[in-house]
Amino acid sequence: MHSWTDTLRFAFQPVVNLTTGGVAGLEILARPETGDVLAEARRDPELDGQLAVLAFRAAARKETLLPLYVNVFAGTLADLGGLTPLHDAVRAAGRLPWEVTIDIGPPYTHVPQQALLEAVGALRDQGFRISADGVGDGDIPLRLLTDLTPELVKLDASLLARPAAIGAMRALCEQLGALVCVEGVETELQCAAARSAGAQLAQGELFAPPARLPAAEVYVPPRTPGLGVTPPSGPSVREFVRPAALLPATASAGQVRALLTGSPDVSGVLLVDMHGVPVRSVHRSRFLLSMSGRYGHALYADRPAAKLGDPPRTVGVDATAWEVLDVVADGGRDRTSDDVAVVDRFGRCVGVVRLADLVRALSETRVEEAAGLNPLTRLPGSDAITGEVDRRIADGRRFALSWLDVDHFKQVNDGAGFAAGDELIRSVGRALQHAATDSTRVGHIGGDDFLVLADPEGLNPVALSMLDAPWSAAGRPVTLSLATVLCEPGSVTDHRQAASCLAPLKKAAKSLSGASWVLGRAGLPGHEILRGAEVSPAAGCAVAEPGRG
């Protein structure tokens, strides 16, 4: 009698790192030749648990290095209270639990939430990592998602048509310490949208379809310059994490040599203790050089590989790329090409970063930033400011967006000459940079127009320093106008709506004499004159009477 397992096969689909272009892991997908075993597994937790074990074993036979993603229904975990047979299978195969991510999938309706959370806690205690699958196309409650605190959130590609939803999920994931993966990416346009929305990982037919053998290569479209927003502190190390080649701390030099010679893309091996904490780092070139000497193999093959390793260099998962460079710089010159281990809050290795990836990405960032700088003031243009506006909107932060310009600038140019006009613009730009705090962003969007993005509490000092200063061009007195829109969480959906609220305020400020400042609130009518004399009826505005607070 044939068992249902006789007609069950598994396919592998890579999870791609959108920054490095490398494969970050493999999702294992059940592919029954007959029947619908997945529908049965949805109703039968014991069957679903068996599928998880079989999926892992199928992957372990074909792939020994990449992290694995095993699918399990939420109801299965709540009913079984964990996956002890899977944990046993992982250990028996010589893999480490933190190299396996449990993809928890819908449906969540009618699943006892407390039982599910307790099961997830048990999985974490065993060392497994957790992914919330099907977000955006499933039925997972938002409160449950936050209670799960997954390491990864998988979003359905249909959400790419709703940038505000993706931005909100990215902001939530940053709070949870989770990565964002977009599933079902089929076109280069979707890939670009995923990158622009801040997703770090993706999977879909565009990169590689599910296949019986793990994909040797994937296609990742080149990054479009200017997409995405890099925070001032630098990109997160999470964006550059590659799978780590891990062996137990007790591994022999012969075992390390076998791994390295069988995996030419591996740049080094990390030796970890029983908890997954790195204890030694073995660099590929230095190790193989030691082993290839006249008596190297005879001397070292059966000895502990740790004897040929170095103390590991580690950073936390919340580090920035710049912090990784600091770690590299603090080491000796002979170790600049060593992988840096990325560890979680328990000190367990979750991957490695390579110096080449960081240098390439940071160089591209600098080139993109330089291309976006105004040649007169060396300030960023509107793209940098509007990108940060969208980021603050997604984060649910209050902010003040201001438009600053020189009054009657054409007359200044005509009367004092363009050279004096250019020097005035440079002076205004330098003053804005000097007045800006860590939370303030300033940009020069062309001509005499500047943008200032600030926390409401930090705007006043910047505004007063600019409006109170005595400005002149070739001895001719000059004044500035400032228009500000205060945006509360939910009052605007993106930078375009914020800009449309700001435009009539600028018109109102320009109608005043002398240095002027007009203030309003997004979504409410009216405005307040904080500086300047009214010489004509103020123009109407689609923003609010805010009060001076």
Side-chain angles (χ1 to χ4, degrees), residues 42-249:
R42 188 180 291 115
R43 297 186 295 268
D44 184 347
E46 292 289 347
L47 175 59
D48 195 30
Q50 287 180 278
L51 279 178
V53 173
L54 291 172
F56 169 78
R57 288 175 176 164
R61 287 194 294 268
K62 295 182 170 64
E63 174 57 56
T64 60
L65 293 177
L66 288 172
L68 303 174
Y69 294 76
V70 177
N71 293 293
V72 179
F73 291 112
T76 297
L77 295 180
D79 190 82
L80 299 181
L83 295 171
T84 300
L86 178 61
H87 183 263
D88 295 340
V90 170
R91 287 297 190 181
R95 295 296 295 261
L96 302 170
W98 43 93
E99 298 177 84
V100 178
T101 297
I102 307 298
D103 256 358
I104 305 176
Y108 290 87
T109 304
H110 307 308
V111 172
Q113 294 191 8
Q114 188 57 40
L116 174 59
L117 293 174
E118 290 174 1
V120 167
L123 290 171
R124 279 209 172 92
D125 289 342
Q126 293 173 340
F128 291 109
R129 297 164 64 77
I130 302 299
S131 167
D133 203 351
V135 176
D137 195 40
D139 60 344
I140 181 169
L142 188 58
R143 185 176 65 181
L144 177 59
L145 178 62
T146 57
D147 288 343
L148 286 173
T149 59
E151 282 78 20
L152 180 68
V153 171
K154 289 190 172 183
L155 305 180
D156 188 81
S158 62
L159 285 183
L160 293 173
R162 299 165 178 83
I166 292 271
M169 288 306 305
R170 170 66 192 264
L172 174 62
C173 288
E174 287 181 352
Q175 294 294 318
L176 297 175
L179 295 178
V180 176
C181 177
V182 177
E183 297 183 287
V185 175
E186 298 179 351
T187 67
E188 294 196 9
L189 190 61
Q190 286 180 319
C191 180
R195 279 175 165 152
S196 181
Q200 296 97 346
L201 304 172
Q203 58 187 128
E205 296 279 341
L206 173 67
F207 312 108
R212 291 290 175 88
L213 294 176
E217 295 182 358
V218 294
Y219 168 71
V220 182
R223 181 181 293 271
T224 302
L227 277 182
V229 178
T230 300
S233 57
S236 169
V237 72
R238 296 168 184 269
E239 299 178 21
F240 304 95
V241 174
R242 289 178 176 266
L246 304 178
L247 283 176

Side-chain angles (χ1 to χ4, degrees), residues 376-388:
L376 187 60
T377 59
R378 308 305 294 168
L379 287 174
S382 60
D383 286 349
I385 303 300
T386 56
E388 179 63 16

